[in-house]
Amino acid sequence: MMSFDLSHAKIAVIGSGTMGIGIAQLAIINGHATILYDLDREKAQQEVDGLHQTFAKLVEKGRITHEQVQQACSRLSIANGIDDLADVDLVIEAVVEKLEVKQALFQQLASICSEQTVFATNTSSISVTAIAAGIPQPERVVGLHFFNPAPVMKLVEIVQGLKTPVALCQALKALMLVWKKIPVLTKSTPGFIVNRIARPFYAEAFRALQEQVTSYDQLDYALKQCGGFAMGPCELTDLIGQDVNFSVTQSVYEAFFYEPRYRPSLVQKELVDAGAWGRKSKQGFYHYDARNQYSTFQPQALSTTPFQAQIQVKGTWSQLPELFTRLALNSGTEHEQNIIQIDDIDLRFSQGESAHLNYLSRKTVLMDWHHDFAQAQAVVLSHNPLCQADDLAKVEAFFAQYQIHVIWIKDHPALLTLRTIVLLINEACEASLHGIATMEDIDNAMRYGVNYPKGPYQWMMQLGAAYVLQTLNNLYAIYGEEKYRASLYLKQYVAKQQSLALDDSKDLTACA
Ligand SMILES: NC(=O)c1ccc[n+]([C@@H]2O[C@H](COP(=O)([O-])OP(=O)(O)OC[C@H]3O[C@@H](n4cnc5c(N)ncnc54)[C@H](O)[C@@H]3O)[C@@H](O)[C@H]2O)c1
């Protein structure tokens, strides 16, 4: 029976690249004797020299004391060869992303280290189960997926391979908590949590661009302003590198046996083929100057047309109470949908319908979701062909009264932000259906691995699960595409809520 107390583990970090040196920094700061091994010893030495400079800067900024640095550095050594790793308790490998290299490395280490030594891999896309296969005691192999830069990013995905015992994952979780990380537990499936659930954030953006719905800079503005994301999908993939992001999507798509939800985008492939990889090539969706500055979308000035129209509210708008406070409207009576009637124009909060296909007889404007209507500076709208220029001007004047800019896009079911959010929620539900991780770990993974303002389940609570399900059902009805099919997990969640509500009302009737 292997014991897994790693609190005083002697650690070997293998690979002194971007990730390895960051992991070594974390290990020595947290009190572990650490040995760094790279095939290229000179490179390891250079990286350690660079680490000393990093520490000097941290001392200058007062983040760490000179004594702490001295103690940390005294714990770090560089291996002269792989045999120097014989007595370590925990190996964390961060070598090239190739299955055969990682397997060969662990096989070699298995003959050098004790049977108790834990082998952790920082792989971002390879199956931990596959890495463990063919290694003596495959149950000691586990994923420990740090995010870049490792010393800064809070999230660590602890990945359980088919043979990895839960006790080992728990021991690594305890260690990561001591290192002040946010550890989440996940099964070894393609993309783990973050790189799987994040796919629709990119895929839906590229689809909107492919379908000529909006421009890349307007789309980024919408997702930042309305979704509360720190960066839009186009500027974020420019930062990550279009080539890198494309290859992650491609590997998740292939690993899931060509599941249509993960299909890569032709829009992104064009950029990759053109060498327009983003910031690193000074051209991606955006152009970058020498200082990496780029111009972003700014909405047009607010309409100055005085607003004159009759307003009538239908529905309770329970999903958007802050909108009502902001617009100082009284909510309407129960209605099948939320509508603000501006003269003869129906302004509806989107539920995944198409303005063109679903509303043939009335002037209709569909409104995208905003994460915080109390502070909203802009709303994204689309309309059906019955709306004329003066109708659109009236809607703009309506919002201008509240200092809210209007961004018109082509008819696009669930528009931009609502669509992205419901698909992220659906992806999280599929991950839950497959038992990949807990709801709490999924939310933490997305908040701390890719800095989303909220986790998918937090959004689901905000919007209401039934609303999310209806939006997906409408998208699925319009497109007939597998990728918009609502997850069984979401359907069951909504059904459970409904049956509990029915049960409650039975109790109330019984009391009355
Ligand atoms: N870069 C990221 O943003 C990131 C984020 C999370 C996870 N990862 C994963 O971390 C791992 C390392 O990525 P990286 O970006 O730090 O790579 P990198 O190319 O910067 O560094 C890899 C290092 O490993 C060394 N190396 C290669 N084969 C070796 C071997 N057999 N033995 C010893 N050393 C060897 C190389 O000399 C190099 O110094 C990969 O599995 C990658 O998928 C990377």
Side-chain angles (χ1 to χ4, degrees), residues 13-21 23 37-41 43-44 47 82 93-98 101-102 104-105 108 121-126 144-150 195 244:
V13 176
I14 308 193
S16 62
T18 314
M19 296 307 291
I21 196 67
I23 297 167
Y37 169 63
D38 197 292
L39 275 184
D40 182 349
R41 195 186 185 284
K43 171 150 196 264
E47 293 296 336
I82 198 161
E93 77 76 17
V95 304
V96 281
E97 188 71 344
K98 287 202 174 121
V101 177
K102 291 183 192 290
L105 181 70
Q108 198 181 357
T121 169
N122 186 44
T123 180
S124 30
S125 63
I126 303 173
L144 193 61
H145 184 210
F146 290 87
F147 288 71
N148 187 13
N195 279 336
V244 173

Side-chain angles (χ1 to χ4, degrees), residues 331-442:
S331 88
T333 48
E334 284 291 338
H335 191 265
E336 40 50 73
Q337 209 185 357
N338 296 317
I339 305 175
I340 297 174
Q341 221 171 297
I342 305 169
D343 284 341
D344 58 346
I345 310 161
D346 287 349
L347 172 69
R348 292 170 177 259
F349 175 37
S350 166
Q351 204 166 6
E353 337 81 295
S354 154
H356 281 231
L357 303 183
N358 296 88
Y359 302 106
L360 300 178
S361 61
R362 286 189 60 83
K363 292 177 182 175
T364 299
V365 171
L366 291 177
M367 182 173 73
D368 204 348
W369 185 65
H370 195 293
H371 74 290
D372 181 9
F373 265 108
Q375 311 291 331
Q377 292 170 15
V379 283
V380 173
L381 306 175
S382 63
H383 62 87
N384 69 358
L386 297 175
C387 295
Q388 303 298 314
D390 56 335
D391 298 316
L392 306 188
K394 204 180 279 178
V395 173
E396 287 169 22
F398 170 72
F399 281 108
Q401 301 174 96
Y402 311 101
Q403 309 298 309
I404 298 174
H405 297 265
V406 167
I407 295 172
W408 293 105
I409 62 166
K410 273 174 61 173
D411 179 30
H412 191 57
L415 293 99
L416 303 176
T417 303
L418 180 65
R419 186 172 170 129
T420 303
I421 300 289
V422 297
L423 285 164
L424 288 170
I425 295 170
N426 203 39
E427 206 51 59
C429 288
E430 279 293 284
S432 295
L433 185 68
H434 297 175
I436 304 307
T438 64
M439 286 169 137
E440 191 190 356
D441 277 0
I442 287 174

Side-chain angles (χ1 to χ4, degrees), residues 352-355 357-358 413-414 472-481 484:
E353 337 81 295
S354 154
L357 303 183
N358 296 88
L472 284 161
N473 285 343
N474 287 339
L475 281 169
Y476 186 54
I478 290 167
Y479 287 101
E481 281 180 47
Y484 298 113

